[in-house]
C-alpha cells in the first residue's frame, strides 16, 4: 500500500474499523443474547457478561480507531468542515476510547469507572450528530454538494432525535423514584440506544464517503 495516497489509506482504515465494530456488535448479540435484553439493557451491559468484555472492548476500539482515521481523512481533505466540527468529532473519538477503557457499573452499583463510562459515552453520542450538522451546513454552500449535504443533514437530525430519545429513556431508567410512566419509558432504554447508534453508524459511513482519494491534501 506504499503507493496509495495517505487519504485513501485513512478512508480504508475508517471503513475497516466501522466494519469491525459491526462484526463485533453482531457477535455480542448472537453469543450473549440470553444474558442481555436488547430492549431494556444497553450495549455496555455486554461487558458485564461472562467472557464478553474482550469482544465488547474490541468492538468499541474498532469504532474508535475507525473514527479517528475518518477524522484524519477529513482534516487532510480539501473539504471545508471547519474547526468546530473537528473538535466535536474528536470528542466522539475520545469518548469512545474512554468508554472502552472504563467499564460500566452493574445494576444498582455506582463507581468512578462507571461514571466516566457513562458521561464519556453520552458526550460521544451527542457530539457526532452535532458535527454532522455543522459539516452539512458548510457543504450545502458549495456548488455540487447540495444532495450530499441534504443527506448528511437528514441523517444528523435523525441521530439528534434518537439521541434525545435515548437520553430521555436513560433519565427515566435511572430515576430514584420513577413513576409508572417513567418505568415504561425506561424499559425501552436498550432499544433507544441501539436505534441511535445505528443512525450514527450511518452518519459515519456518509462522512467516510465525503473523502475521495482525489481530494488528497498536500
Amino acid at each position: 500500500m506504499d503507493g496509495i495516497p495517505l487519504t485513501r489509506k485513512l478512508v480504508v482504515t475508517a471503513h475497516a474499523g466501522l466494519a469491525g465494530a459491526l462484526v463485533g456488535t453482531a457477535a455480542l448479540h448472537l453469543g450473549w443474547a440470553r444474558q442481555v435484553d436488547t430492549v431494556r439493557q444497553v450495549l455496555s451491559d455486554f461487558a458485564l457478561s461472562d467472557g464478553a468484555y474482550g469482544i465488547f472492548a474490541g468492538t468499541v476500539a474498532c469504532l474508535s480507531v475507525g473514527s479517528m482515521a475518518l477524522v484524519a481523512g477529513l482534516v487532510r481533505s480539501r473539504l471545508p468542515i471547519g474547526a468546530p466540527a473537528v473538535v466535536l468529532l474528536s470528542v466522539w473519538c475520545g469518548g469512545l476510547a474512554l468508554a472502552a477503557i472504563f467499564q460500566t457499573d452493574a445494576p444498582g452499583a455506582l463507581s468512578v469507572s462507571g461514571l466516566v463510562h457513562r458521561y464519556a459515552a453520552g458526550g460521544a453520542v451527542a457530539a457526532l450528530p452535532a458535527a454532522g450538522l455543522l459539516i452539512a451546513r458548510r457543504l450545502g454552500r458549495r456548488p455540487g454538494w447540495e444532495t450530499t449535504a441534504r443527506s448528511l443533514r437528514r441523517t444528523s437530525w435523525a441521530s439528534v432525535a434518537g439521541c434525545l430519545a435515548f437520553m430521555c429513556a436513560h433519565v427515566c431508567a435511572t430515576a430514584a423514584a420513577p413513576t409508572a410512566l417513567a418505568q415504561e419509558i425506561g424499559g425501552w432504554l436498550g432499544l433507544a440506544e441501539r436505534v441511535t447508534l445505528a443512525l450514527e453508524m450511518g452518519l459515519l459511513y456518509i462522512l467516510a464517503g465525503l473523502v475521495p482519494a482525489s481530494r488528497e491534501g498536500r
Side-chain angles (χ1 to χ4, degrees):
M1 295 180 65
D2 290 342
I4 300 177
L6 178 57
T7 299
R8 184 179 297 179
K9 292 180 181 179
L10 290 171
V11 173
V12 170
T13 302
H15 278 103
L18 297 181
L22 290 175
V23 171
T25 301
L28 289 171
H29 282 83
L30 292 174
W32 286 266
R34 296 183 179 181
Q35 298 182 44
V36 176
D37 187 334
T38 57
V39 175
R40 302 183 63 88
Q41 293 179 267
V42 295
L43 288 172
S44 299
D45 288 333
F46 280 114
L48 304 175
S49 303
D50 293 338
Y53 177 74
I55 296 178
F56 171 79
T59 298
V60 180
C62 282
L63 184 56
S64 180
V65 171
S67 297
M68 286 188 284
L70 170 58
V71 175
L74 286 170
V75 170
R76 284 188 60 85
S77 75
R78 298 173 182 175
L79 296 176
I81 60 175
V86 173
V87 171
L88 289 170
L89 289 172
S90 299
V91 171
W92 159 259
C93 296
L96 289 176
L98 290 174
I101 296 171
F102 292 91
Q103 193 169 347
T104 189
D105 289 321
L110 183 63
S111 67
V112 174
S113 176
L115 288 174
V116 172
H117 177 93
R118 180 182 302 175
Y119 287 108
V125 170
L128 182 59
L133 289 172
L134 290 178
I135 295 173
R137 184 175 63 180
R138 282 177 165 264
L139 288 181
R141 299 170 182 169
R142 291 172 63 91
W145 288 88
E146 293 85 355
T147 300
T148 301
R150 190 179 305 113
S151 176
L152 180 59
R153 186 180 302 109
R154 289 174 177 173
T155 306
S156 297
W157 277 119
S159 298
V160 169
C163 185
L164 291 174
F166 169 55
M167 290 183 176
C168 178
H170 186 274
V171 170
C172 291
T174 56
T179 62
L181 178 59
Q183 289 179 336
E184 178 67 24
I185 296 174
W188 294 90
L189 176 63
L191 182 60
E193 183 200 45
R194 285 163 174 79
V195 170
T196 301
L197 291 178
L199 290 168
E200 299 205 345
M201 283 295 292
L203 181 55
L204 288 171
Y205 273 106
I206 293 175
L207 290 174
L210 299 179
V211 195
S214 61
R215 293 179 177 267
E216 173 92 49
R218 297 186 186 277

